[in-house]
Amino acid sequence: MKCDDARAAFLAGQVGRAESEHLETCAECRAEMPSLLETRRIMESATFWEEPPADLEDRIVGLVAGPGPKKEPAEKPPRWQLAVVGAAAVVALLLGVFLVQRTPSPDWEVALPGTAEAPLAVGVVSGWNEPGGTRMTLDIEGLPPAPNGFFYEFWLSAGDLHISAGTFTEAQGVELWVGVTRAEFPRLWITLEPIDEDESPSGVNVMDTA
Ligand SMILES: [Zn+2]
């Protein structure tokens, strides 16, 4: 067990037996314990932040990587830089964990299969019921980018009543918002639309819960 692994595990709140033995027996880590505790407290309150404090990353890098290059001869490859690279990866991981924790789990998720128009497409729609409507994210694989002059459009429907939740050309990282609920408009589907003045669904249906 190395110091940086043990400290990163402590900051992440994932201390197993090996980590706790290290933290108890390593004098250097014990000396850092007040700073580690303080930083963990800050990180645990991070679920309330819009954005983490700007100095948090430096602070974690400093804690995990330990002291700087003070004893290294200048001509040797500085080992501490490797430690900082490793620590930066840990920081990215930890901040990722907090961002995930900050996003409450969806109120509903529904599978969105591809139709005969897009037989390789599979996806999941996650939805959050908000006071002003419904927020959705798409997690879709196998849907090719829309050709030039076209976009995809996402619909919620109840019978013949279709509400557009937005358009996109590639199904990567798409977030949608619509002013109705899935309880009222249960069918979720995606069409391929030519860019024209016709605002109704084209009929080229590529993914559909129905
Ligand atoms: Zn240590």
Side-chain angles (χ1 to χ4, degrees):
M1 174 63 50
K2 289 188 299 188
C3 292
D4 53 357
D5 292 334
R7 293 176 192 184
F10 181 83
L11 290 174
Q14 294 167 345
V15 178
R17 184 167 175 175
E19 288 86 1
S20 64
E21 278 177 10
H22 177 92
L23 293 168
E24 280 165 22
T25 55
C26 171
E28 286 179 29
C29 284
R30 263 212 322 275
E32 289 289 348
M33 196 47 81
S35 305
L36 286 165
L37 277 167
E38 167 70 4
T39 302
R40 188 161 97 172
R41 192 188 59 72
I42 293 173
M43 292 171 78
E44 282 168 354
S45 68
T47 49
F48 299 107
W49 300 331
E50 195 63 27
E51 286 189 26
D55 65 343
L56 180 63
E57 181 163 339
D58 290 341
R59 185 176 180 132
I60 297 168
V61 169
L63 272 175
V64 175
K70 60 185 180 203
K71 287 179 190 164
E72 293 288 338
E75 64 271 20
K76 262 181 86 178
R79 279 214 327 261
W80 65 273
Q81 280 191 355
L82 295 178
V84 169
V85 170
V90 169
V91 169
L93 181 79
L94 292 174
L95 290 178
V97 167
F98 290 119
L99 289 176
V100 168
Q101 285 178 349
R102 218 164 51 86
T103 307
S105 34
D107 295 311
W108 51 264
E109 288 180 312
V110 64
L112 188 61
T115 67
E117 298 281 352
L120 299 179
V122 290
V124 173
V125 186
S126 302
W128 289 261
N129 303 326
E130 309 277 3
T134 306
R135 183 165 68 85
M136 290 170 289
T137 61
L138 305 185
D139 187 5
I140 291 176
E141 303 281 342
L143 185 67
N148 277 342
F150 291 79
F151 53 66
Y152 292 113
E153 188 153 15
F154 191 97
W155 305 90
L156 282 76
S157 295
D160 291 335
L161 197 49
H162 310 304
I163 309 291
S164 173
T167 62
F168 56 92
T169 55
E170 284 191 56
Q172 303 300 319
V174 175
E175 295 195 28
L176 301 166
W177 182 274
V178 64
V180 296
T181 66
R182 188 175 150 234
E184 298 167 302
F185 290 82
R187 178 186 172 199
L188 310 182
W189 54 306
I190 297 174
T191 56
L192 182 65
E193 299 284 329
I195 298 179
D196 61 18
E197 68 282 355
D198 184 352
E199 292 176 5
S200 60
S202 66
V204 181
N205 181 357
V206 294
M207 301 186 81
D208 201 334
T209 58

